[in-house]
Amino acid sequence: MLNDHVLWYVVVGLLTASMGTLAPLLKRPWISAPQLHLLAGLAIGPLGLGLISLKWTRDVALLETLSEIAVIVSLYAAGMKMRMPLRDGRWITPTVLASLTMTATVLLVTGAGFLILGLALPAALLLAAVLAPTDPVLADEVQVEDPDDDDRLRRALTGEAGLNDGTAFPLVLLAVGLIGRAIDQDLHPLGEGWWRWIVVDCLWKIGGGLVFGALAGRVFGRVILFIRRRLEPGPGAEELLTLGLIGLTYGLALLIDSYAFLAVFAAAVSLRGLEMNAPVSSTEDVDDDTYEDDAEGAKRLAEEQTRVADTLERVVQLFLAVVIGLLLSPARVGNPWAWLFAASVLCVARPAAVYATTWFCDLSHPQRALTAWFGIRGIGTVYYLSHAFGLGIAEALPDSSTLLADCAIVTIAASVMLHGFTVTPLMGWYSRCCADESTAAAKEDDSQTDRAEIA
């Protein structure tokens, strides 16, 4: 019998197998895996054959769960690639992007929702807040390519995506709380004078998530290294360990009522940092079959966690890109206001916010320009919108909840396609700019050396 259950198995199996088979095709310009998977979702969804459909109101629990898992995995993978200490000054730019830039973007997008869509300010703020997180996993050419990649642009975008999936949460809760107050319902408590939102939702949950995650990554890593000095890991241990660390960190962070997204990212960064802090007990080469040397063991642990997390990230990327395609109904795609709004978010709000808030950051002109352009929307938006619907937004905003979903999904789809088409040529241009700068710097060094020799 051909039903949704059977179709999901067929579609997922076909797409998963195609990831390996069509890998050479995805290395060509103008084509990316998320684009193909989104188109696959379109082909089997309401815009194509109509075999499978998803709706916010009916499938909100499923969408929230799927996107939550995808965000967790992508954050862990991003954190494992950020090979720099937590106190490193290079964190300044990602932090600015995930705080000042994100806030400026939310303000601008709120204005667009109010002026273009005619939404009430709380509803416009909610739409802006769910669109606040960036998501380089859907255009992975702008991610840090490996832990030794020290490119400021890639590190800025990867770090921003890791942080703002958590820092956007208070804004979503603020919008939900304001909507509840407008209709005299307690959708989310803000407290008198917003004290609860400031103290709990902002200060405690952000700070608690970051601190707990950093401590958890360090403690879990040292426990694992301690055990591995005495017991060699068995078959399949790497994959099980990755899933276990992600689940344990996320669950414990939720248990202390902190932002678990931030905790997972911080834990991965902290775990990655063990290899830089571990004392080397011997200068002799360490046999590949032993884990007696702390530095070597920490390095191996970080490398295996990065490799497994990267694989998991590609799988969840596939699922979510297909889901986005399935959510594009004819009515949603045919809404011209949604497309106008998406253009304002991607082409106006993000670039303006980046240029207004990063002028003091250590970014060159090409790096700032590409940072302004690659404000990619994706998995985080799906989660936050699903979470808001789960809190009762559909009932609280009966006249505008559909418009909110339309604009959010159209913006994600536009971002996947637009950034996917431009990422390869723009990053190629960026590589040439970097090469030209390196050549110019080398010539200047040679010139200075020659002048010194003459003197």
Side-chain angles (χ1 to χ4, degrees), residues 11-236:
V11 171
V12 171
L14 180 62
L15 291 176
T16 304
S18 71
M19 289 177 68
T21 307
L22 302 178
L25 177 65
L26 301 180
K27 295 180 180 180
R28 299 180 182 180
W30 316 107
I31 298 176
S32 67
Q35 287 175 306
L36 292 181
H37 298 148
L38 188 149
L39 292 175
L42 285 175
I44 62 175
L47 278 176
L49 301 176
L51 300 177
I52 302 177
S53 66
L54 291 174
K55 294 182 179 180
W56 285 111
T57 52
R58 185 191 65 196
D59 304 306
V60 61
L62 174 63
L63 290 169
E64 184 175 358
T65 301
L66 288 177
S67 56
E68 185 177 22
I69 293 172
V71 170
I72 298 168
V73 171
S74 66
L75 290 178
Y76 190 79
M80 290 306 305
K81 295 174 183 177
M82 298 295 288
R83 190 177 182 270
M84 55 187 188
L86 294 173
R87 296 181 180 179
D88 196 302
R90 289 173 293 178
W91 280 106
I92 292 176
T93 300
T95 303
V96 169
L97 290 172
S99 55
L100 296 179
T101 304
M102 186 191 71
T103 302
T105 304
V106 168
L107 292 175
L108 291 171
V109 176
T110 300
F114 178 74
L115 297 174
I116 297 175
L117 304 176
L119 294 171
L121 282 177
L125 175 60
L126 176 61
L127 180 56
V130 301
L131 285 167
T134 55
D135 188 13
V137 68
L138 292 179
D140 54 10
E141 287 188 55
V142 302
Q143 283 196 94
V144 173
E145 294 181 334
D146 59 69
D148 295 321
D149 185 353
D150 199 32
D151 182 78
R152 283 176 292 174
L153 171 65
R154 297 181 189 277
R155 285 194 176 275
L157 291 172
T158 304
E160 177 194 14
L163 292 171
N164 66 18
D165 271 309
T167 56
F169 223 138
L171 298 175
V172 175
L173 296 178
L174 173 62
V176 172
L178 291 175
I179 292 170
R181 285 188 174 186
I183 61 173
D184 198 24
Q185 292 184 17
D186 190 18
L187 298 182
H188 178 76
L190 299 178
E192 190 68 27
W194 296 5
W195 74 266
R196 188 188 185 282
W197 179 76
I198 295 172
V199 174
V200 178
D201 293 337
C202 293
L203 299 179
W204 163 248
K205 291 188 176 183
I206 291 177
L210 289 172
V211 172
F212 171 76
L215 291 175
R218 188 60 52 91
V219 171
F220 293 159
R222 293 201 179 280
V223 170
I224 294 166
L225 292 176
F226 176 80
I227 294 174
R228 285 189 171 184
R229 292 191 202 105
R230 292 155 178 79
L231 296 174
E232 187 172 341

Side-chain angles (χ1 to χ4, degrees), residues 375-434:
I376 303 159
R377 267 58 192 176
I379 297 173
T381 295
V382 175
Y383 170 76
Y384 282 124
L385 186 60
S386 301
H387 186 72
F389 269 74
L391 293 175
I393 292 302
E395 295 77 13
L397 300 173
D399 297 329
S400 54
S401 59
T402 300
L403 180 60
L404 290 178
D406 289 352
C407 292
I409 295 303
V410 166
T411 302
I412 297 172
S415 179
V416 171
M417 299 306 292
L418 195 57
H419 292 119
F421 278 128
T422 59
V423 64
T424 298
L426 286 180
M427 292 306 289
W429 167 78
Y430 172 64
S431 297
R432 292 191 294 273
C433 288
C434 292

